[in-house]
Amino acid sequence: MEESINQRLKKFVEEQSINEPDTYKYLGTRRQVWNGWLNAEEAIPLNKVQKLIGRFSDLNARWLLTGEGEMLLNSNKKNKSYKNIENVDPIQEPHITTYSCPDCIEKERIIQAQKKTIEIQEKYISSLEVGHEKNGKAV
């Protein structure tokens, strides 16, 4: 018997350790509806399938929809950690895939690196200001 979209989604969620509350909230649905999808009690609306495919960059849409091909687009079969981008520091956690396109991930890394640089420069400026104040010079 061929697997349904619901069964393939459940397999993906389980094998990739997907954060279910984050996912069903992202989809704008309730836990009960989400569980109904995973348990093949309800059909998954096409617009929700599209959002899922967009959210998980390595989920093979062809596999999810038809069962053909591999589950993941890349050759890494092992879990990736999925988190909301708000919870990810790309500098500290470059291995984490966010729910964005590759260009967005790279841009986020650059932004985080620039924020870190600014923070370091602000600390350096503050230390210079404190040094000047100790020497009796006004800043």
Side-chain angles (χ1 to χ4, degrees), residues 13-53:
V13 166
E14 290 173 352
E15 289 186 17
Q16 298 303 306
S17 303
I18 301 301
N19 182 317
E20 292 184 50
D22 282 352
T23 304
Y24 66 73
K25 288 175 188 172
Y26 170 82
L27 294 172
T29 192
R30 298 179 326 276
R31 179 180 203 78
Q32 296 84 350
V33 173
W34 173 256
N35 288 338
W37 295 344
L38 294 183
N39 295 324
E41 296 166 358
E42 299 178 36
I44 306 170
L46 181 59
N47 66 328
K48 302 300 183 184
V49 172
Q50 290 171 324
K51 284 185 86 169
L52 283 165
I53 292 167

Side-chain angles (χ1 to χ4, degrees), residues 57-75:
S57 59
D58 59 344
L59 174 59
N60 183 345
R62 191 171 116 226
W63 174 82
L64 181 63
L65 295 170
T66 67
E68 296 174 9
E70 298 295 321
M71 179 191 310
L72 303 178
L73 292 173
N74 63 24
S75 59

Side-chain angles (χ1 to χ4, degrees), residues 112-130:
Q112 293 301 321
Q114 289 174 339
K115 284 181 180 179
K116 192 76 168 170
T117 300
I118 290 168
E119 181 183 318
I120 291 167
Q121 289 176 342
E122 286 174 341
K123 286 179 183 178
Y124 178 70
I125 290 168
S126 292
S127 71
L128 290 175
E129 289 172 345
V130 169

Side-chain angles (χ1 to χ4, degrees), residues 87-100:
N87 301 329
V88 175
D89 179 353
I91 303 300
Q92 299 297 320
E93 303 178 286
H95 60 286
I96 292 180
T97 301
T98 57
Y99 307 125
S100 300

